[in-house]
Amino acid sequence: MRYQQKERRQENLRDIIARNPLLTDRELAVYFGVSVPTIRLDRAELGIAELRQRTRLVANEAIELRALGQQEIVGKLLELKIGRCGRSELMIDKTMILTKAQAARGHHLFGQANSLAVALIDAEVALTGSAEVKFLRPVRLKERVVAEGRVIKRKKDKYWIEVVSRVNGEDVLSGKWIMFGFAAAAFAAGEGE
Amino acid sequence: MRYQQKERRQENLRDIIARNPLLTDRELAVYFGVSVPTIRLDRAELGIAELRQRTRLVANEAIELRALGQQEIVGKLLELKIGRCGRSELMIDKTMILTKAQAARGHHLFGQANSLAVALIDAEVALTGSAEVKFLRPVRLKERVVAEGRVIKRKKDKYWIEVVSRVNGEDVLSGKWIMFGFAAAAFAAGEGE
DNA sequence: CGATTTTTATTACCTGGTCATAATTATAAC
DNA sequence: GTTATAATTATGACCAGGTAATAAAAATCG
């Protein structure tokens, strides 16, 4: 009655474990209406590791991701004179590139420059008012982008900032920002949640 | 000789497990120069779960992060006529906001608009040449940003594109892109790695 | 029908624990 | 010194979720 389903079951098994790696053999056995040894056999034939190894692999991934998340996506500050000028660097890693183009996605370069602009503002809360950005050439994997920003003008809460990003001295991005700086208290009035 | 160090050891234990949750009791025992039962006692007194539970917790985190990563950071396409116009939406979640300002980081909005511009290009590889962007008002948690883009002009590989992003019909970002579209083969010439 | 494949059962063993109990230490108190 | 106390270690019985190997049973096909 339920025979010759080996192939189909094994395909499903592969999918299900891929989507949910934290299922025990017993749970899988119940799911497929088959005995635990059958599931073990299937896993063996498919080269799928046991639950605890799978869990560990996923956990390791999490630890890497966590480390990645903590390393600011928008670059590391090299020097900063608040209200004056500053520099930051960004290493282009594989998570930032469009695979086809082998070039960094524009918003990473924008993010670096924008974050530098934020850091330059002498205020608790900085918002991007407007930005005018030119992408001068694509940036590739493993290149080191150094952004250099300067405050050109300031009137009260309004700041004019220029940023140029370079790879090996060659300009890759240039832009002008107009930003607003507030005290956090003044801003917090309009919060949600 | 090695006595009365219980407190210090337990503090260290807490730290070490927090930083590296995937250590077995045996490894910890070796590290502290103490027996495995002592480590178990310490864990019990500190309310720290066993290795496999810790691993599972970290793995669950990873699965959530993975799910987050797959939901494109740069928005979901609503409609697209390649070479003509298109619309995409982006839900602002807690990972996109600057905690102090309660406003979305600029590069997410930029990323959405930029990605839409890329999608509009009728080419295998699209690069941002230059962009001129205005951020008209900050965007907050849980707001739904709809970006609308149009190709205004095209000369060979060069495209002029306009994008306007709105929340509830209100403009929050507007910008003009100049982009270049290539066939992937033509581009792949200058690859690294 | 018999041969073959698939599935199930069974057993011994492994890791990394739990829990409880007992024995051993180290340290300070008298 | 001896003793009370706290900290540490040892021990044994048990558990989940496996590995690995072997045998038995069931389903399918020629």
Side-chain angles (χ1 to χ4, degrees):
Chain A
M1 213 221 258
R2 52 158 117 72
Y3 221 73
Q4 197 59 270
Q5 15 172 245
K6 200 181 173 186
E7 267 188 53
R8 235 174 306 163
R9 188 185 57 235
Q10 291 194 347
E11 281 167 31
N12 288 339
L13 188 68
R14 205 199 303 271
D15 283 9
I16 281 169
I17 292 181
R19 267 198 298 279
N20 185 350
L22 307 191
L23 291 172
T24 65
D25 286 352
R26 199 188 320 275
E27 290 169 324
L28 292 164
V30 170
Y31 178 86
F32 285 106
V34 90
S35 75
V36 171
T38 303
I39 296 294
R40 310 245 224 247
L41 240 170
D42 285 347
R43 277 201 298 101
E45 288 178 6
L46 293 170
I48 298 175
E50 65 169 287
L51 168 68
R52 285 166 303 208
Q53 281 182 47
R54 296 188 314 256
T55 313
R56 223 173 47 227
L57 282 177
V58 179
N60 279 323
E61 234 179 87
I63 287 171
E64 278 170 39
L65 279 174
R66 198 193 286 169
L68 250 173
Q70 279 169 349
Q71 115 197 358
E72 264 298 80
I73 31 165
V74 287
K76 187 175 109 192
L77 274 180
L78 298 176
E79 57 179 271
L80 181 66
K81 294 177 194 140
I82 289 181
R84 302 279 302 276
C85 59
R87 288 193 312 137
S88 81
E89 76 168 9
L90 179 70
M91 299 299 301
I92 302 301
D93 67 45
K94 56 180 177 287
T95 66
M96 303 176 184
I97 62 167
L98 292 152
T99 40
K100 272 192 184 177
Q102 288 291 317
R105 286 160 182 260
H107 68 274
H108 286 112
L109 294 184
F110 178 86
Q112 178 191 20
N114 190 61
S115 296
L116 181 59
V118 168
L120 282 170
I121 302 298
D122 182 17
E124 290 182 70
V125 175
L127 292 178
T128 303
S130 70
E132 211 180 296
V133 187
K134 285 196 198 316
F135 292 83
L136 305 165
R137 82 142 167 90
V139 175
R140 294 209 170 69
L141 188 60
K142 290 182 186 168
E143 289 191 316
R144 175 173 172 268
V145 182
V146 178
E148 211 168 310
R150 285 181 306 122
V151 176
I152 314 180
K153 198 165 88 174
R154 173 180 176 181
K155 269 189 191 171
K156 283 198 174 180
D157 290 342
K158 196 170 179 180
Y159 297 75
W160 285 258
I161 294 164
E162 256 181 32
V163 179
V164 179
S165 296
R166 298 189 181 86
V167 172
N168 292 326
E170 185 186 355
D171 291 9
V172 294
L173 173 151
S174 79
K176 288 179 191 168
W177 271 254
I178 298 177
M179 308 208 64
F180 299 92
F182 303 99
F187 196 88
E191 256 182 279
E193 261 256 1
Chain B
M1 212 220 258
R2 52 160 114 74
Y3 221 72
Q4 198 58 269
Q5 12 172 248
K6 200 182 173 187
E7 267 187 54
R8 235 174 306 163
R9 188 187 55 235
Q10 291 194 348
E11 281 168 31
N12 287 340
L13 188 67
R14 206 199 303 271
D15 282 9
I16 281 170
I17 291 182
R19 268 198 298 278
N20 186 350
L22 307 191
L23 292 171
T24 65
D25 287 351
R26 201 190 319 276
E27 289 169 324
L28 291 164
V30 170
Y31 178 86
F32 285 106
V34 90
S35 75
V36 171
T38 303
I39 296 294
R40 310 244 224 246
L41 241 170
D42 285 347
R43 276 201 300 102
E45 288 177 8
L46 293 169
I48 297 175
E50 64 171 284
L51 169 68
R52 285 166 302 207
Q53 282 181 48
R54 298 191 309 261
T55 314
R56 222 173 47 226
L57 283 176
V58 179
N60 279 324
E61 236 179 86
I63 286 171
E64 280 170 38
L65 279 174
R66 196 195 287 168
L68 253 172
Q70 279 170 348
Q71 116 196 0
E72 262 298 81
I73 32 165
V74 286
K76 188 176 110 193
L77 273 181
L78 298 177
E79 56 178 89
L80 181 66
K81 294 176 194 142
I82 289 181
R84 303 281 301 278
C85 59
R87 288 193 314 136
S88 81
E89 77 169 7
L90 180 70
M91 298 299 301
I92 303 301
D93 66 46
K94 56 180 178 285
T95 66
M96 303 175 184
I97 61 168
L98 291 152
T99 40
K100 271 191 184 176
Q102 288 292 315
R105 287 161 182 260
H107 67 275
H108 285 112
L109 294 185
F110 179 86
Q112 178 191 18
N114 190 62
S115 295
L116 181 58
V118 168
L120 282 170
I121 302 298
D122 182 18
E124 288 182 71
V125 175
L127 291 178
T128 302
S130 70
E132 212 179 295
V133 187
K134 285 197 197 316
F135 293 82
L136 305 164
R137 81 141 167 90
V139 175
R140 294 209 170 70
L141 188 60
K142 291 183 185 166
E143 289 191 316
R144 175 171 171 269
V145 183
V146 178
E148 211 169 308
R150 285 182 305 123
V151 177
I152 314 182
K153 197 165 89 178
R154 174 180 177 180
K155 267 189 195 169
K156 282 197 176 184
D157 291 342
K158 196 169 178 181
Y159 297 75
W160 285 257
I161 294 165
E162 255 182 29
V163 179
V164 179
S165 296
R166 297 188 180 89
V167 171
N168 292 325
E170 185 186 356
D171 290 10
V172 295
L173 173 150
S174 79
K176 289 178 192 165
W177 270 252
I178 298 176
M179 308 208 64
F180 300 91
F182 304 98
F187 196 89
E191 255 184 281
E193 259 254 4

